[in-house]
């Protein structure tokens, strides 16, 4: 067990520690707890500093910084999105994040966030589906069977009572991997040969593909009434998954409109296209699903507050555990103004 230290050491959760932490708690509990943390922060949405993420685009991908603060803690995530990476044996999305104390400005946590992003994205999807999906939804189409897909399926199972998932990916190897990983989940897993087959009988349609283009994963005629669409993959300018006709027939729910209008499915729509902010639905200020025939659409892009919630969760969970090491990443001279003297004294040590 790690003990607190007088030095300004910063707890660091490595990929290995994150995996051990998840197994010690249990992934279903992690997903459920994360959804609770995220929902709690959506309920205090107005007090957060909010800004669209800062994105640096290239021809092949994007690198983004996602900051926010609740006035007591400040957090940010570094994350990339490179759809071409998997062909080179690399992840499409990798991330790490930091939480700091607003009073001192000192970091209090540094952590891997590639796994944590998959967990928080899935927990957010399921928390939103809990509010918007048709009552008693049991079946989800999971289109795009890459890194996020198992997490998405398990979160819907743990939080929304999903019992069946229908998998489709352009690449059958991705679907086979996902099906094998979910084999002992308790979910009924159905491998499908086309997206049309995947959506048969599904009340929740999740799109989670990676392609840097205006793709059409769901065409207008594929989407019947009464479903909930969980659109995860369109999260960048020039990168979408849904035919615009679907957006016109749906009630669209978003995280932070200034970011989603640039990055989400609604980038295809006029600037004044009507959307509802999720935090208002969660607080009961705006309606969510109002009838069984309605198509609800979560135009997910991933917002900084969800990462902040995930960072808070990890900070709380690693206390009095050995799921972190302490990093000497802050210079901490005994006399705060004698930084140079500290450097001098280290000479020859
Ligand atoms: P990944 O590269 O591991 O998997 C993507 C899968 O999509 C691949 O298996 C690929 O074969 C498949 N695919 C591509 N085009 C397809 C098509 N036309 N039809 C069916 N399948 C297709 O990526 P990932 O880490 O699983 O992420 C998926 C997407 O989700 C990415 O675009 C990523 O940027 C996005 N994402 C969004 C959030 C969010 O908060 N909204 C968070 C994380 C990732």
């Amino acid at each position: 067990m790690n003990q607190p230290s007088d030095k300004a050491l910063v707890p660091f959760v490595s990929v290995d520690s994150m995996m051990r932490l998840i197994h010690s708690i249990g992934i279903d509990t992690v997903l459920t707890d994360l959804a609770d943390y995220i929902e709690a922060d959506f309920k205090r949405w107005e007090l957060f500093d909010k800004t669209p993420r800062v994105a640096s685009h290239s021809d092949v991908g994007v690198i983004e910084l996602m900051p926010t603060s609740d006035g007591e803690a400040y957090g940010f995530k570094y994350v990339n999105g490179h759809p071409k990476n998997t062909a080179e044996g690399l992840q499409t999305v990798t991330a790490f994040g930091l939480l700091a104390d607003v009073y001192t400005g000192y970091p209090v946590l540094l952590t891997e966030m590639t796994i944590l992003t998959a967990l928080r994205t899935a927990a957010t999807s399921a928390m939103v589906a809990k509010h918007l999906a048709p009552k008693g939804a049991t079946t989800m189409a999971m289109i795009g069977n890459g890194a996020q897909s198992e997490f998405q399926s398990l979160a819907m199972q743990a939080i929304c009572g999903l019992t069946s998932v229908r998998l489709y990916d352009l690449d059958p190897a991705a679907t086979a991997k996902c099906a094998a990983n979910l084999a002992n989940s308790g979910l009924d897993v159905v491998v499908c040969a086309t997206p049309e087959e995947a959506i048969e009988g599904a009340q929740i349609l999740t799109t989670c593909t990676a392609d840097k283009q205006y793709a059409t994963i769901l065409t207008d005629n594929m989407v019947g009434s009464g479903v909930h669409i969980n659109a995860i993959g369109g999260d960048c300018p020039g990168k979408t998954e849904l035919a615009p006709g679907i957006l016109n027939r749906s009630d669209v729910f978003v995280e932070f409109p200034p970011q989603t209008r640039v990055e989400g499915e609604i980038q295809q729509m006029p600037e004044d296209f009507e959307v509802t902010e999720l935090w208002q639905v969660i607080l009961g200020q705006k309606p969510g699903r109002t009838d069984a025939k309605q198509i609800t659409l979560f135009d997910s892009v991933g917002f900084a507050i969800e990462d902040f919630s995930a960072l808070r969760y990890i900070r709380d969970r690693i206390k009095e555990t050995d799921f972190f090491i302490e990093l000497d990443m802050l210079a901490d001279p005994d006399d705060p103004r004698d930084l140079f003297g500290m450097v001098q004294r280290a000479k020859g040590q």
Side-chain angles (χ1 to χ4, degrees):
M1 193 177 294
N2 289 333
Q3 299 301 329
S5 147
D6 287 344
K7 277 194 88 184
L9 298 173
V10 180
F12 168 64
V13 181
S14 66
V15 173
D16 182 60
S17 295
M18 184 63 75
M19 295 191 292
R20 288 192 297 116
L21 177 67
I22 292 166
H23 287 301
S24 83
I25 299 173
I27 190 160
D28 289 356
T29 306
V30 171
L31 287 163
T32 309
D33 288 350
L34 268 175
D36 289 344
Y37 270 63
I38 294 165
E39 188 165 27
D41 283 342
F42 271 59
K43 284 183 177 161
R44 44 186 206 126
W45 191 262
E46 284 175 291
L47 66 78
F48 280 92
D49 267 353
K50 291 177 286 296
T51 177
R53 58 185 155 203
V54 183
S56 174
H57 294 279
S58 67
D59 291 344
V60 290
V62 63
I63 295 176
E64 299 165 325
L65 290 178
M66 302 172 69
T68 192
S69 171
D70 68 354
E72 289 185 6
Y74 169 94
F76 77 84
K77 180 169 84 172
Y78 167 104
V79 62
N80 76 305
H82 284 68
K84 58 94 191 153
N85 270 8
T86 43
E88 298 166 18
L90 302 172
Q91 293 270 115
T92 298
V93 175
T94 62
F96 67 88
L98 183 143
L99 198 66
D101 175 8
V102 166
Y103 183 67
T104 60
Y106 276 30
V108 295
L109 174 69
L110 179 68
T111 177
E112 89 77 40
M113 284 194 85
T114 305
I115 300 167
L116 195 54
T117 292
L119 291 164
R120 78 81 158 119
T121 304
T124 305
S125 286
M127 185 274 287
V128 170
K130 187 182 76 180
H131 287 279
L132 297 180
K135 287 270 161 296
T138 54
T139 304
M140 177 170 85
M142 182 74 233
I143 303 182
N145 302 152
Q148 311 300 317
S149 59
E150 297 90 347
F151 297 89
Q152 288 283 325
S153 305
L154 293 177
M156 291 288 184
Q157 180 187 30
I159 294 156
C160 303
L162 196 81
T163 57
S164 176
V165 63
R166 302 175 64 83
L167 305 179
Y168 171 73
D169 194 290
L170 265 186
D171 180 355
T175 304
K177 174 250 5 170
C178 185
N181 283 340
L182 293 176
N184 296 319
S185 63
L187 284 168
D188 176 28
V189 180
V190 183
V191 170
C192 301
T194 64
E196 287 79 5
E197 187 188 339
I199 63 172
E200 264 172 41
Q203 301 91 9
I204 300 175
L205 315 182
T206 293
T207 54
C208 194
T209 65
D211 204 352
K212 210 168 191 303
Q213 60 158 333
Y214 294 106
T216 309
I217 306 303
L218 295 179
T219 57
D220 197 9
N221 62 354
M222 285 166 74
V223 177
S225 64
V227 296
H228 174 66
I229 303 173
N230 175 41
I232 300 298
D235 61 354
C236 233
K239 177 163 168 263
T240 58
E241 296 181 305
L242 305 181
I246 299 172
L247 303 177
N248 280 323
R249 290 195 293 130
S250 306
D251 287 301
V252 178
F253 298 83
V254 303
E255 294 143 314
F256 184 55
Q259 184 176 313
T260 313
R261 289 196 191 279
V262 178
E263 300 182 350
E265 296 300 325
I266 57 170
Q267 66 184 275
Q268 309 178 74
M269 308 310 276
E271 267 177 34
D272 59 353
F273 183 76
E274 195 184 331
V275 296
T276 304
E277 292 188 53
L278 279 160
W279 67 273
Q280 294 190 292
V281 176
I282 290 162
L283 279 180
Q285 296 176 358
K286 291 271 174 75
R289 174 170 289 276
T290 49
D291 78 79
K293 293 209 169 127
Q294 185 183 7
I295 303 171
T296 51
L297 195 167
F298 174 29
D299 186 359
S300 164
V301 291
F303 189 59
I305 292 175
E306 294 145 26
D307 298 309
F308 182 89
S309 314
L311 287 164
R312 280 201 307 116
Y313 176 68
I314 295 302
R315 181 198 54 192
D316 291 350
R317 283 298 167 277
I318 62 170
K319 282 179 191 155
E320 296 177 5
T321 73
D322 65 354
F323 298 128
F324 66 95
I325 58 166
E326 293 189 307
L327 292 185
D328 182 16
M329 62 181 266
L330 295 179
D332 188 31
D334 293 337
D335 172 353
R337 287 174 299 187
D338 195 18
L339 184 64
F340 187 82
M342 185 183 79
V343 174
Q344 287 296 93
R345 284 188 293 281
K347 200 172 179 182
Q349 270 184 13

